[in-house]
Amino acid sequence: MVCTGNICRSAMAEVVLIDRLTAAGISTDGPGGVVVTSAGVSDEESGNPMDPRARQVMAEGGYGVGADPTARATAAAIADHAAHRISDVELRRADLVLAMTAAHHRALMRRGEQLGVDPARIRMFREYDPTAAGALGAPGRAANLDVPDPWYGTMADFIDTLDVVERVSDALAPALTELVAG
């Protein structure tokens, strides 16, 4: 998951996808599972934790709350998050890189081309959004697949972003689960 500074959108998407995969019984931290990480295209927030507003919305949504394995996995992802710019190693090794906006996608494609990364592995996160025109399997022309940036907005904007992230993760997790099982 890749956004600008790795403190809002991509960090939230990492936690939600870990939640969905862990709940489905898929390991998210080693061989035989799906390793989920997040990064930014910029290093401007390097080392910073998840944005406090994103953390608040995540907690209010029940992420990292409780003692079950899913809650423990998401709590660890939230607590251990340290923003960073995606490295060349991450970009080369990732089976799937999901960009939060078209600008992020372009930046990742430019770097990927320089590194010899298969461009088919760099996708838009909302390609997996069943409600988005232009998403995989959706009718219609490609539309704006950007995940809204809540940074300059209100708490309502963080809630809206979480809604998008949850909807995409709800569609993406079963596809990843099927790949792991196959």
Side-chain angles (χ1 to χ4, degrees), residues 36-84:
V36 181
T37 62
S38 65
V41 294
S42 164
D43 64 0
E44 66 193 72
E45 296 288 348
S46 185
N48 287 337
M50 186 184 294
D51 182 281
R53 297 164 296 176
R55 288 175 73 116
Q56 179 181 337
V57 167
M58 300 297 289
E60 290 171 358
Y63 295 96
V65 178
D68 61 276
T70 300
R72 286 195 309 272
T74 56
I78 293 167
D80 297 342
H81 182 78
H84 72 282

Side-chain angles (χ1 to χ4, degrees), residues 66 69 71 77 108-109 132 152 164 169 173 178:
L108 291 165
M109 292 295 279
Y152 295 104
V164 171
S169 295
E178 190 174 303

Side-chain angles (χ1 to χ4, degrees), residues 13-14 27 29 33 40 43 56 64 84 97 135 147-149 155 174 180 182:
E14 176 185 358
S27 170
D29 63 354
D43 64 0
Q56 179 181 337
H84 72 282
V97 179
V147 175
D149 186 358
M155 288 306 290
V180 170

Side-chain angles (χ1 to χ4, degrees), residues 60-102:
E60 290 171 358
Y63 295 96
V65 178
D68 61 276
T70 300
R72 286 195 309 272
T74 56
I78 293 167
D80 297 342
H81 182 78
H84 72 282
R85 181 178 185 256
I86 189 168
S87 71
D88 291 349
V89 170
E90 288 173 302
L91 196 50
R92 280 188 189 111
R93 287 188 181 164
D95 294 314
L96 182 62
V97 179
L98 298 172
M100 295 291 148
T101 69

